[in-house]
Structure formats: C-alpha cells, structure tokens
Amino acid sequence: MALRVQTEISGDVFILRCDGRIGFEDDCAVLRESVGTMLSGMPKLVVNLEGVEYIDSEGVGMLVGLFVSARNRGGELKLASLHKRVKDVLRRTSLDTIFRVYGSNDEAVAAFSRQIA
C-alpha cells in the first residue's frame, strides 16, 4: 500500500499521520513533500506511524534526514504510535536511542511543552 500522509497542527507542532509503507523512493517523496516548507516555519514535528507496518532502510534514512533537518532549524522530530514492526526496525538499528517515541500524538506534543518549562 502506497504511503498516505495527513497533516494537522497542534499549537506550534506540525503532526504527520502516516498510513501505508515507508520505503521506496516514491513513498519517501510523499513524506518529504508533506514536510516541505512547513519545516522551515514549524521545526517541531511529530510523525505518527501507527498506520505504518513496513519501513525499509530508505524509509529509516529519510526519517533520520527529517530528524537532522528539524534539529538544524532549532526544532525536533518525535515519533508517535509506532507499530511493533517499526519499533523492531528502530531497535535493530539502535535508532530507538536517538528518536523520542511516544504512545500518542498528545503525549508527543505535550513533551515539547515540558522541554521549554
């Protein structure tokens, strides 16, 4: 199933809800386009991966790229609602020690507020 991305904004946080797979170049392009110019104006990102059952090395690399881009703009990327298979991939690649992972969008958005306080 090709990747579909829905976007929403919660305060100053940009939320991407992904459904499908994150892998092939076309899937990654969909996600990159969704972030596009929003990252420059809103560098706080939550990527909800609840609907993603498959991610390959290209997809993981793209997430890392978004993470770095957000950091370079003074923001951060947090992951929410990971499917077990995606959690396993992050654990096997040791990226679970880099990404902050939350159970829901609300938890991830709230974590941004706690960082400032």
Side-chain angles (χ1 to χ4, degrees):
M1 174 188 339
L3 182 66
R4 291 182 316 280
V5 179
Q6 295 177 314
T7 60
E8 64 182 270
I9 296 173
S10 178
D12 63 345
V13 179
F14 186 50
I15 300 170
L16 301 164
R17 182 180 304 271
C18 302
D19 289 299
R21 65 175 186 254
I22 302 176
F24 308 102
E25 187 172 329
D26 291 343
D27 302 324
C28 292
V30 167
L31 192 50
R32 270 192 302 273
E33 286 173 20
S34 296
V35 173
T37 58
M38 291 300 289
L39 190 59
S40 61
M42 193 171 293
K44 296 178 183 176
L45 300 174
V46 173
V47 179
N48 182 304
L49 299 175
E50 183 175 17
V52 175
E53 293 185 20
Y54 175 83
I55 187 167
D56 69 7
S57 59
E58 189 169 348
V60 170
M62 191 269 320
L63 285 177
V64 170
L66 292 177
F67 177 86
V68 170
S69 293
R71 282 271 171 105
N72 287 343
R73 289 172 173 82
E76 188 173 351
L77 180 141
K78 298 179 186 298
L79 302 178
S81 304
L82 271 62
H83 189 279
K84 182 184 179 325
R85 290 180 185 159
V86 175
K87 282 182 190 176
D88 290 344
V89 168
L90 293 180
R91 190 185 73 250
R92 284 193 308 265
T93 58
S94 297
L95 289 172
D96 60 341
T97 62
I98 303 299
F99 287 108
R100 302 271 190 225
V101 179
Y102 298 87
S104 70
N105 292 344
D106 292 340
E107 290 176 18
V109 170
F112 281 113
S113 298
R114 286 192 301 271
Q115 286 177 327
I116 296 169

